Amino acid sequence: MLPVSTAGSVLRGGVGLYFNDLAQTGWVEAFTAVNNYNIQNASGTPSLIDPNYHTPYALHATAGVGHAVNANLILSGGWTLETGMHGYRRYDYPNVSVFRADNRSSYQSLALHLQGNLAKRLSLVANYTLSRAKTWGCEVGELFDYVNGVCDPFNAFAPGDYGPSGEDVRHRAVLAGTIHAPGGFEITFLSQAESARPITLTTPAGDRAVINGVKTSLDEFRGTPYLQTDLRVTRAFKIQEHWSVAPFIEFFNLFNRNNPGNNYIPDISVLPT
């Protein structure tokens, strides 16, 4: 990270290369198949690790600017680009599964931040992120540290196999604050809102669903937006000179909203008809 400061403003930039490891449950079957016991006894699920395996890595680049409007207010913005290379993929052939590291992914975001004491009794922190995340996959698409599947091992990069990953949240906003209310009460709150996450409709055969004669693409559909507010009310009481107690009451998911995210049953065979 290289910060540069000029008259109340700070410019930041950074580049990093991050390597991943094989601490993934998706590779357990591959490791089990190629250990000495299973090789000698021809036991275990037939699986192979591609000899052209490369360690997955992500190229991470950031740039941002921050500015102190005054002693009580700070504004900042930042851009992030993450490109994942040699991500994990599983190729299921008729008689064997082959584990390869040929996937790619991309994540881009623009983040805005506002923090300050807006009044004598009110302090706020507000964040907004506009982002996009894409990768190759079959039924599930995740960024570079996940074992994505392949619908057709003989055409692993087919149209429709590239699309939003599970982390693709287009809009996300967070608002947190503290209100110093009369009577010694302190009210703190945290509200989060994000646009719907993607989901993929599938079939019992382990492939994406076909609608009106057209095969759907990876994570083509969206669930429901996320919205949650938490609240805490505290009142401190002083006991003599050196002691105090601060009882509080907390409300989690204050408005009792159901937030399934993208946790849906994607198999169209179980949907009501």
Side-chain angles (χ1 to χ4, degrees):
M1 184 70 69
L2 300 175
V4 178
S5 179
T6 57
S9 299
V10 176
L11 302 178
R12 298 184 177 90
V15 177
L17 192 62
Y18 300 91
F19 290 88
N20 203 1
D21 55 28
L22 284 175
Q24 288 282 333
T25 56
W27 280 72
V28 170
E29 189 174 300
F31 291 140
T32 303
V34 298
N35 65 30
N36 289 333
Y37 178 84
N38 285 325
I39 291 177
Q40 294 172 4
N41 296 276
S43 58
T45 304
S47 299
L48 298 172
I49 297 177
D50 193 311
N52 295 316
Y53 169 83
H54 294 274
T55 300
Y57 66 87
L59 177 63
H60 192 90
T62 60
V65 58
H67 178 68
V69 179
N70 52 47
N72 296 313
L73 186 63
I74 297 175
L75 296 171
S76 64
W79 169 81
T80 299
L81 170 65
E82 181 181 280
T83 300
M85 302 293 291
H86 299 298
Y88 307 131
R89 298 188 89 190
R90 174 174 176 158
Y91 288 64
D92 286 323
Y93 293 95
N95 298 317
V96 66
S97 294
V98 178
F99 290 78
R100 292 174 174 158
D102 60 358
N103 200 0
R104 293 186 178 185
S105 62
S106 174
Y107 173 82
Q108 300 180 55
S109 71
L110 173 66
L112 303 177
H113 174 80
L114 168 68
Q115 179 176 348
N117 300 315
L118 302 185
K120 183 178 180 180
R121 296 179 177 271
L122 173 64
S123 59
L124 287 177
V125 177
N127 292 281
Y128 170 75
T129 303
L130 173 67
S131 64
R132 181 180 67 178
K134 290 191 173 184
T135 189
W136 292 91
C138 180
E139 298 180 16
V140 177
E142 301 292 338
L143 295 185
F144 83 106
D145 61 345
Y146 190 84
V147 184
N148 291 343
V150 174
C151 285
D152 182 0
F154 301 101
N155 187 13
F157 297 93
D161 288 351
Y162 186 77
S165 76
E167 299 89 350
D168 185 72
V169 178
R170 189 71 71 247
H171 305 281
R172 176 172 172 79
V174 179
L175 179 65
T178 301
I179 302 173
H180 301 282
F185 288 94
E186 184 178 271
I187 303 171
T188 57
F189 61 90
L190 173 64
S191 293
Q192 306 176 70
E194 65 179 40
S195 55
R197 291 179 177 248
I199 58 176
T200 302
L201 295 183
T202 64
T203 68
D207 203 345
R208 295 193 300 270
V210 175
I211 298 179
N212 295 328
V214 179
K215 184 177 180 179
T216 57
S217 59
L218 175 67
D219 283 338
E220 179 178 338
F221 304 93
R222 296 277 170 168
T224 58
Y226 176 94
L227 179 62
Q228 180 168 301
T229 298
D230 303 327
L231 182 72
R232 171 188 278 197
V233 180
T234 306
R235 174 63 164 89
F237 296 91
K238 189 173 182 180
I239 302 176
Q240 296 182 351
E241 184 176 353
H242 301 291
W243 298 88
S244 66
V245 294
F248 61 86
I249 182 172
E250 287 185 325
F251 302 89
F252 178 76
N253 194 8
L254 181 64
F255 301 108
N256 195 31
R257 177 181 170 86
N258 182 23
N259 288 306
N262 61 350
N263 295 308
Y264 292 88
I265 298 176
D267 188 348
I268 60 173
S269 68
V270 301
L271 297 178
T273 58

